[in-house]
Amino acid sequence: MNFQQIFGNLPETEASAPGRVNLLGEHTDYNDGFVLPIAIPQKTTVQMGFSNDGQHHFYSQNLDQQVSILEINHTPLGFASYIFGCIQILKKEGYKIPSLNLYIKSSVPIGSGLSSSAALEVATLRAIRQLLNLSINDVEIAQFAQQAEINYAGVQCGIMDQMASSLADTEHILFLDTRTLSFCLLPFPSKAEIVVIDSGVPRRLASSGYNQRRTECEQAAQLLGVKALRDITRLEATEDLPEPLRRRARHVVTENNRVLEVLQILETRHVASVERFGKLMNASHASLRDDYEVSVPALDMLVEILQETPGVFGARLTGAGFGGACVALVAKGEGRAIATTVLEQYNYHSGYTGRVLVPTTGF
Ligand code: ADP
Ligand code: MG
């Protein structure tokens, strides 16, 4: 079913936004720290038109589901909450938004940690901006998207996903300071490409583990007398903290320093920089495993297989951990072959069924 078959006319406009993968800077965003995401090739497209019955209608091709909402209704549940949230946030900002028809289709894997939710929000906001000719910039789009996700979908998220979807593309890594929102776009190393493999491990402990880590970081910052762990740059400052706060703080401090080092090497564009970038990804994984304790044996195995494969510069778990995906930086042109052999070994030895998410198999 296409837009016309669902709504009886053609869309007025269409906009897209990509998913993202975080290359470095894990669990740093809620510590006011630094992150380095990049857009992935998969994207969400929103086709949009005016509705003439006073209701919003949202149709998702992926879910084959339609939700209709009267303006005065309470926030809907499920996927419609993300879209309704975007509309409500724009209204709160003073924009007049008419009743809309939305048709959503996406190649971003949903719920795999590649941020299909941010892609949905950013594509929705871009389509509305285009349809109504609103003068909103890309940073505002990201901010509105984040507010929609927090206040309407009920997900306490940072701003990395929305900033990455709104500002990055597949050729440019986003460096983002999550405290000041200052950012820059860095060209992706020409010698490399990325591989993303889903471990197939369900993220059962993810939300409780995530909340616990957040609390531990807040406690550590309080004991150190700073607003957030971002304010600690020297590792020695963390040495007197009680365990496990010392280890948690050590991860955040070293991870922020790793991101800043990559920022520097990407800016200089030295040919050797990609090897160093890979080594820092490996160090990030070790830190997430040993100090932050958010890895699981299957993720360690997947990362290890990746790291031992020729052509791989570096690999780490990506996302909150406890399951989910791994990202690797590999030699350009070799991504598909590397992903295929690594997946075969991983599936055989781990007992899980992994899945290659990037490079894409075409859609
Ligand atoms: P992710 O890591 O993919 O962002 P989330 O749990 O944050 O995982 O967001 C997934 C949710 O976003 C889905 O459950 C759904 O409500 C919504 N969503 C994302 N993409 C789509 C889509 N194409 N169609 C309908 N809903 C979508
Ligand atoms: Mg999400």
Side-chain angles (χ1 to χ4, degrees):
M1 297 270 268
N2 59 25
F3 189 99
Q4 192 168 18
Q5 286 161 329
I6 302 275
F7 299 117
N9 51 18
L10 289 170
E12 302 278 337
T13 194
E14 173 181 311
S16 298
R20 66 94 189 96
V21 63
N22 191 21
L23 298 177
L24 201 62
E26 213 63 78
H27 287 280
T28 49
D29 61 343
Y30 53 84
N31 290 298
D32 281 1
F34 311 113
V35 292
L36 270 185
I38 188 166
I40 54 170
Q42 291 97 323
K43 59 183 183 176
T44 298
T45 300
V46 170
Q47 295 179 322
M48 194 174 276
F50 298 106
S51 150
N52 45 26
D53 64 1
Q55 296 187 57
H56 297 299
H57 301 281
F58 310 145
Y59 175 81
S60 163
Q61 187 199 54
N62 302 84
L63 306 180
D64 187 22
Q65 214 181 87
Q66 186 173 336
V67 175
S68 299
I69 307 167
L70 259 179
E71 292 278 338
I72 47 163
N73 267 9
H74 292 302
T75 308
L77 296 172
F79 84 98
S81 63
Y82 296 85
I83 304 164
F84 184 73
C86 291
I87 294 172
Q88 294 302 104
I89 294 290
L90 286 175
K91 284 188 171 170
K92 284 203 174 135
E93 289 292 316
Y95 297 103
K96 227 174 120 38
I97 313 292
S99 302
L100 300 170
N101 290 333
L102 268 82
Y103 181 95
I104 298 132
K105 58 182 174 188
S106 181
S107 52
V108 184
I110 297 174
S112 292
L114 295 185
S115 213
S116 67
S117 57
L120 175 59
E121 294 146 10
V122 172
T124 297
L125 288 164
R126 281 181 176 167
I128 297 176
R129 171 171 71 182
Q130 227 159 266
L131 183 72
L132 304 177
N133 220 346
L134 308 181
S135 51
I136 304 171
N137 65 38
D138 291 340
V139 173
E140 288 170 320
I141 290 241
Q143 289 171 317
F144 296 162
Q146 184 205 17
Q147 287 167 32
E149 183 147 345
I150 293 174
N151 297 318
Y152 292 87
V155 182
Q156 282 302 322
C157 57
I159 196 157
M160 167 173 70
D161 297 352
Q162 291 80 6
M163 285 290 277
S165 183
S166 186
L167 295 160
D169 57 42
T170 53
E171 310 288 302
H172 291 87
I173 304 174
L174 175 74
F175 165 80
L176 175 66
D177 178 337
T178 61
R179 172 176 278 173
T180 63
L181 288 199
S182 71
F183 66 90
C184 62
L185 290 163
L186 302 147
F188 188 77
S190 57
K191 274 173 46 178
E193 64 177 88
I194 59 166
V195 165
V196 182
I197 299 178
D198 180 33
S199 67
V201 179
R203 299 177 53 219
R204 233 174 280 121
L205 290 170
S207 72
S208 61
Y210 178 84
N211 291 335
Q212 195 189 9
R213 294 300 177 279
R214 274 190 90 133
T215 309
E216 287 166 348
C217 287
E218 278 164 26
Q219 287 170 344
Q222 206 172 15
L223 285 172
L224 294 169
V226 290
K227 185 163 167 276
L229 285 179
R230 136 74 177 275
D231 297 308
I232 307 293
T233 49
R234 286 174 40 259
L235 206 49
E236 303 86 76
T238 63
E239 269 163 17
D240 293 334
L241 286 170
E243 294 291 7
L245 303 190
R246 190 173 75 100
R247 297 202 297 284
R248 306 296 186 250
R250 189 164 58 191
H251 166 72
V252 176
V253 172
T254 57
E255 187 78 350
N256 276 329
N257 288 340
R258 282 186 283 272
V259 175
L260 293 177
E261 188 179 338
V262 170
L263 171 65
Q264 228 172 26
I265 60 181
L266 287 178
E267 278 171 344
T268 59
R269 294 220 215 171
H270 192 275
V271 277
S273 63
V274 69
E275 277 88 15
R276 181 71 189 147
F277 191 167
K279 293 224 158 48
L280 290 165
M281 288 173 78
N282 293 345
S284 168
H285 185 79
S287 176
L288 288 161
R289 181 191 60 210
D290 303 333
D291 281 344
Y292 220 62
E293 295 177 284
V294 292
S295 191
V296 291
L299 283 174
D300 292 339
M301 180 188 283
L302 180 51
V303 163
E304 223 166 277
I305 297 170
L306 279 162
Q307 288 173 352
E308 283 167 5
T309 302
V312 175
F313 298 116
R316 56 182 285 274
L317 73 83
T318 184
F322 301 101
C326 294
V327 62
L329 195 64
V330 311
K332 195 172 180 91
E334 293 182 32
R336 196 172 301 280
I338 288 171
T340 307
T341 51
V342 167
L343 184 68
E344 206 172 286
Q345 288 180 58
Y346 170 76
N347 284 350
Y348 180 77
H349 291 291
S350 71
Y352 288 101
T353 306
R355 197 164 49 120
V356 176
L357 302 176
V358 180
T360 57
T361 43
F363 32 77

